[in-house]
Each structure stands twice: as structure tokens, then as C-alpha cells.
Amino acid sequence: MNHLSHIINNKKNIEQRSEIIRQIREFFWSQGFLELETPLILRLPGQEPYLNPMPIKIHDETGKEFSGYLHTSPEYALKKALGAGFEKIFSICKTFRDQESFGGTHNPEFTMIEWYRSNTNMFSLMADCEKLIMELENKIEIEDKRSKIEDQRSFERISMKDLWKQIIDINLDDYLTTETMFGLCEEHGYKPGADEKYEDLFYRIFLNEIEPKLADMGAVFVYNYPAQMAALSRLCPNDSRYAERFELYIDGMELANAFSELTDPIEQKKRLLEEQKLRQKLGKPVFDIDEDFVTAVGKMTPSAGIALGIDRLVMILTGCKNINNVILLPASDLFF
């Protein structure tokens, strides 16, 4: 399919996408949020072990070369703004991640909104999500809506521990170490490698046995993840084995990832160093730590932040099953 044919075939979806983004901006403006523009090119990317920044070379007017990266999210820039005293902020921007699928629910270049609230925790972000998506569902005119959220009066909220108990009758408290989760994977017939990390083992169970069941639950917030899976979040005050992180699923699709933010710079530096070691072990490039980010974390008030994929939200609201149908020119059209 040539580029023009793709645009013609998806013209209605693209028009609806534009209206959805306009309504998102108006929602946050009406809530008193300030929109900030964040840089797409960074000298120092984040340390997330399972994300792959795209390297880029730039030159000044003398021809001197500088190495940088297209950002994988606006998170570091927005947290620096929080550390500087901003309180309610959001950014809608293009985001770039290498080694992603070309189609399905992924595209190497995608659109994200991140927003942050100071002096609060992740539960206020759940309320933001619910109100935003319900308003969009009511305002955006779609001929054939297929999402279960139409029938929900509120989004379900369930802890990760309760979700495991409900779906596979496992007490997650008993599987919070690499050794115990490794054993559980073996019991369930998987063949994990001896050096697999906790997160990889966790997702062997979760992605195969739990996440597929979320498709029947409509809109659901899954919250309080094992602490080792939330390097940027606060620990739960009543159980430090878990962290205040949630993900929003709608019709089984992961749509958003949120945290009650960590505000301890010493702990933050420690976790970033641990992620550096994991990147090295995985054979991935290891980046220097952004010390300005660590400093900003220490100046933040108790805050909460969330990243939500706009392309996936458009898919849900329009009933599209492939991300390529809601993007003007997806990577699959540009490179194949």
C-alpha cells in the first residue's frame, strides 16, 4: 500500500484522532494544568533496562559533533519541572523507542501524554484517568464503539496481589524473590533461564496466565506492584514489599503506567545504579546518570505521575485493532 492509500483508507480515524487530542488538551486546561514542551533530544537518556533509546548525532555551527538520544518519555524533564516548583503539568509529545514492533499495539515513534500532580499520590491519577476517558467516550462521536467501558459506571480497581489470587489462586506474598518466582515458573511448566531477573520471571506468569483475562474486565486499574518492578516509585507505606505503581488496562490493552513518585535522591541514585548494572548484564549500552534529575527528585514534594499512550487510547475509542490505522504514516508504511 502506498502512503496516499493508507491515509485515504484511515482518513476517518485520523480525523477522530485529532478531535481526541484536542479534547484531551481541553480537559487538562480545564483542570488547571500547565502544558510544557519537553526536549525530544537528550544528552543522557533514562536507565530503564528494557527500553532502547535511539541514538542521534547533532552538530553545532562549527561542525563539532555531539551524541544524544531521542527520548523514550518526557519523564525526566517533567520531574525537573516539578523539582523547580511546578505543581500541575502535562506534556503531549512524540516518543521514540527502538526495537519495537511495527504494528499491532506498537510503533517505534508514538504519541504519549504524561501528567504530574504535586502533593498527592497515584490514587488521584486514577480519578483523572477515569474522568478523562469517560468524558472522551461521551464527547467523541464514533459510529461503532466496541469498548466495554461504555457499560461501566466506574473503572475497577484491584491490587496486583488480589489479581493473582483471583485469577490463578496464587498468594503473591509467597513469590516476591527471584528464587521463589523461578520455582513458580517451573511449576507452571515454563523453562526459565538460570540468570533471569525477577521481572522477567514475573511476566512469564503474568503475560501468559493473567493479562489475557483482563480482556473481560473492561477498564481496570491494577495497582501495587512488587517493589523490584517500580524503580521510580514510592514504596507502599503499609507493606514495603510492594510499590505504589499502577497500570490501566482497557479491554485487555495496557494503556497507562503510573507511580506515586520517589522523592528520596539517595534511594533514586541507588536504583539507577542498579539499573545500570542490569543494562550491562543484558548487553545493552550503559548511560551516565543524569545527576540533575537525581537532584530534582530530592526537591520534589510528594507527587504522582502517569504516562498514557494516546495512539492506544485512540484505538480503544475508535474500535481499531491495529495502531497503524490511527497513525498518519506508521513505520510499517515508511520502511516497507
Side-chain angles (χ1 to χ4, degrees):
M1 182 188 296
N2 62 41
H3 296 173
L4 187 58
S5 296
H6 173 86
I7 295 171
I8 291 171
N9 290 342
N10 293 287
K11 183 172 180 288
K12 184 64 175 176
N13 295 333
I14 292 165
E15 290 172 342
Q16 290 171 332
R17 173 195 178 98
S18 179
E19 175 63 13
I20 289 166
I21 293 175
R22 184 181 73 83
Q23 292 284 354
I24 291 172
R25 279 197 163 94
E26 291 189 353
F27 173 85
F28 283 100
W29 290 337
S30 73
Q31 301 292 313
F33 281 77
L34 179 69
E35 182 173 8
L36 297 182
E37 293 183 292
T38 56
L40 303 185
I41 300 174
L42 304 176
R43 184 174 70 87
L44 298 172
Q47 301 291 338
E48 296 92 337
Y50 299 99
L51 296 185
N52 301 288
M54 296 181 185
I56 187 171
K57 300 287 187 181
I58 58 176
H59 305 82
D60 68 10
E61 76 283 3
T62 70
K64 183 178 179 180
E65 185 175 272
F66 299 87
S67 296
Y69 300 86
L70 296 176
H71 76 166
T72 58
S73 86
E75 178 178 12
Y76 279 25
L78 291 174
K79 286 186 178 178
K80 289 174 183 178
L82 284 177
F86 287 90
E87 295 182 349
K88 294 170 67 176
I89 53 178
F90 77 98
S91 176
I92 295 176
C93 60
K94 288 293 186 180
T95 307
F96 306 87
R97 296 178 184 178
D98 204 5
Q99 299 180 33
E100 296 281 347
S101 301
F102 285 22
T105 58
H106 292 86
N107 193 64
E109 174 187 346
F110 60 100
T111 304
M112 175 186 288
I113 178 170
E114 284 200 13
W115 72 91
Y116 290 80
R117 286 180 176 269
S118 62
N119 302 306
T120 191
N121 59 28
M122 67 177 181
F123 294 99
S124 66
L125 301 182
M126 292 183 188
D128 286 341
C129 282
E130 188 168 355
K131 186 175 181 181
L132 169 65
I133 295 170
M134 286 298 198
E135 285 196 13
L136 290 171
E137 178 74 17
N138 291 328
K139 288 181 178 179
I140 303 301
E141 301 234 349
I142 307 295
E143 292 179 7
D144 183 21
K145 294 183 181 180
R146 289 170 231 162
S147 173
K148 294 181 179 64
I149 58 176
E150 288 181 272
D151 304 320
Q152 287 186 254
R153 303 186 71 176
S154 63
F155 291 8
E156 185 171 352
R157 290 153 168 80
I158 185 169
S159 71
M160 183 64 80
K161 176 181 173 179
D162 289 344
L163 187 66
W164 279 55
K165 185 65 176 176
Q166 175 178 309
I167 294 179
I168 59 173
D169 196 27
I170 291 290
N171 184 350
L172 192 55
D173 286 352
D174 297 332
Y175 300 96
L176 294 175
T177 67
T178 303
E179 293 73 25
T180 55
M181 188 60 77
F182 184 93
L184 183 64
C185 286
E186 289 189 315
E187 288 175 23
H188 281 240
Y190 303 106
K191 297 179 179 179
D195 60 348
E196 283 192 34
K197 294 296 182 182
Y198 181 86
E199 187 166 357
D200 298 320
L201 298 167
F202 178 96
Y203 278 120
R204 281 184 179 270
I205 304 287
F206 183 80
L207 295 178
N208 288 292
E209 302 181 33
I210 298 173
E211 189 178 70
K213 303 292 176 122
L214 295 174
D216 300 321
M217 297 173 67
V220 55
F221 295 108
V222 181
Y223 66 92
N224 287 0
Y225 277 59
Q228 54 268 57
M229 297 175 61
L232 299 173
S233 70
R234 291 201 303 263
L235 299 179
C236 296
N238 59 341
D239 190 344
S240 61
R241 297 174 301 172
Y242 294 90
E244 290 191 346
R245 170 189 175 186
F246 77 76
E247 290 191 350
L248 169 61
Y249 285 83
I250 296 182
D251 299 341
M253 184 187 297
E254 178 198 338
L255 187 64
N257 188 24
F259 304 92
S260 296
E261 302 294 348
L262 182 65
T263 56
D264 180 343
I266 296 174
E267 177 64 20
Q268 182 65 84
K269 180 75 172 284
K270 175 175 172 282
R271 295 187 193 182
L272 292 175
L273 289 169
E274 289 171 353
E275 289 193 326
Q276 277 187 327
K277 291 178 183 177
L278 180 52
R279 288 191 67 87
Q280 185 175 31
K281 186 170 183 177
L282 293 171
K284 295 188 174 185
V286 177
F287 313 116
D288 291 338
I289 289 173
D290 186 339
E291 296 291 349
D292 285 340
F293 167 68
V294 176
T295 299
V297 166
K299 294 182 180 297
M300 288 164 48
T301 63
S303 304
I306 183 169
L308 185 151
I310 287 180
D311 310 282
R312 291 186 180 184
L313 178 58
V314 175
M315 289 173 64
I316 289 165
L317 292 172
T318 59
C320 290
K321 300 302 181 185
N322 194 311
I323 197 171
N324 291 347
N325 298 129
V326 301
I327 297 176
L328 185 69
L329 289 172
S332 59
D333 271 31
L334 295 174
F335 292 98
F336 288 99

